Amino acid sequence: QMGEDLLQHVRSPDLVFQLKADQYLIALQGSSTEGAQIVFRRIRQNMLIRAYAVLPLHGSTVERALHQLEGELSHYYLTQH
């Protein structure tokens, strides 16, 4: 259900991946950091989001970005619980 709700708030070229039961990766293709912030502001206004991170992939790999995202989310959950 949440993944379907997320799809309503992203652009048509963007992709939504479910990583875990309550964790999603949204790939904003061709977006700048400012554009990503606009999309996430729209999502936060319409959905309950506990944490998010913006990770540019310029010159990086998806694997490296996922590793960084996992680290940031683990830090968030450790400090919030």
Side-chain angles (χ1 to χ4, degrees):
Q1 174 65 33
M2 185 176 204
E4 292 176 14
D5 292 343
L6 283 170
L7 287 173
Q8 296 178 20
H9 302 291
V10 297
R11 306 163 307 165
S12 60
D14 300 333
L15 304 171
V16 177
F17 300 94
Q18 185 171 5
L19 303 177
K20 295 184 181 178
D22 62 345
Q23 291 181 359
Y24 291 84
L25 169 67
I26 302 172
L28 302 174
Q29 299 187 69
S31 181
S32 64
T33 302
E34 294 80 18
Q37 290 172 344
I38 291 168
V39 170
F40 282 105
R41 188 176 310 121
R42 184 171 57 238
I43 291 171
R44 284 195 328 260
Q45 289 172 347
N46 293 285
M47 300 178 69
L48 177 61
I49 303 293
R50 294 190 310 185
Y52 78 96
V54 176
L55 304 172
L57 284 182
H58 307 293
S60 184
T61 65
V62 172
E63 290 83 9
R64 190 181 315 170
L66 285 172
H67 181 72
Q68 182 179 348
L69 177 63
E70 287 175 346
E72 290 186 20
L73 287 174
S74 294
H75 175 75
Y76 170 80
Y77 287 116
L78 288 173
T79 60
Q80 298 299 315
H81 294 98

